[in-house]
Amino acid sequence: LKSTMNSMISTSIFRAVKASSRPLSTTCTRSLGRLHEILENYRASHYSQEMPARFRKDIVRTASERSSPILSSPGIISAEGIEHVLNNIGAGDQMSHDEIETILREIVGEASDNCDK
């Protein structure tokens, strides 16, 4: 269960949504779209010479390094980790903690549901 969740989350939020076997809530979909837009705008401005995969790896690494100590496994991302990334790129005011929590709760919930089957 833990390695499956690590793998699902560490490949990035973007791929987890694509692998989802059930639809996400409208609220989560909107929040996820905003997060993707924020990160994509930053990537286009600051990582234009890099491969998108490099950017995703850097974002996931930074977010997991700053995630709660309770989630000490590499590749596990908490809301605090995502907030840290958003603050670092100057977008800390563009998403609320609750929006980030909703995204993670639904995606991790989906991963947990798939692992239990």
Side-chain angles (χ1 to χ4, degrees), residues 55-74:
F55 173 71
R56 285 191 300 268
K57 287 177 187 176
D58 286 352
I59 293 295
V60 170
R61 180 181 39 78
T62 301
S64 66
E65 287 172 357
R66 294 297 183 155
S67 290
S68 299
I70 297 169
L71 306 172
S72 59
S73 298

Side-chain angles (χ1 to χ4, degrees), residues 97-110:
H97 181 81
D98 289 342
E99 289 175 301
I100 296 167
E101 284 284 338
T102 297
I103 292 168
L104 293 176
R105 187 173 30 258
E106 288 198 32
I107 291 173
V108 171
E110 175 69 22

Side-chain angles (χ1 to χ4, degrees), residues 33-42 86 89 91 94-95:
R34 284 196 26 234
L35 178 59
H36 180 74
E37 183 180 332
I38 291 165
L39 294 175
E40 181 57 27
N41 288 338
Y42 183 80
L86 292 175
I89 66 173
Q94 294 184 29
M95 290 198 79

Side-chain angles (χ1 to χ4, degrees), residues 20-91:
S20 179
S21 63
R22 64 182 163 153
L24 299 173
S25 71
T26 302
T27 302
C28 181
T29 302
R30 284 186 193 138
S31 296
L32 191 60
R34 284 196 26 234
L35 178 59
H36 180 74
E37 183 180 332
I38 291 165
L39 294 175
E40 181 57 27
N41 288 338
Y42 183 80
R43 187 199 66 76
S45 296
H46 297 88
Y47 276 72
S48 61
Q49 301 298 314
E50 300 286 339
M51 298 294 288
R54 176 66 180 182
F55 173 71
R56 285 191 300 268
K57 287 177 187 176
D58 286 352
I59 293 295
V60 170
R61 180 181 39 78
T62 301
S64 66
E65 287 172 357
R66 294 297 183 155
S67 290
S68 299
I70 297 169
L71 306 172
S72 59
S73 298
I76 298 293
I77 299 171
S78 69
E80 292 80 15
I82 293 173
E83 287 174 331
H84 175 76
V85 168
L86 292 175
N87 286 328
N88 277 356
I89 66 173

Side-chain angles (χ1 to χ4, degrees), residues 1-10 115:
L1 173 65
K2 189 173 182 180
S3 69
T4 302
M5 284 182 62
N6 281 353
S7 174
M8 182 93 159
I9 294 170
S10 68
C115 293

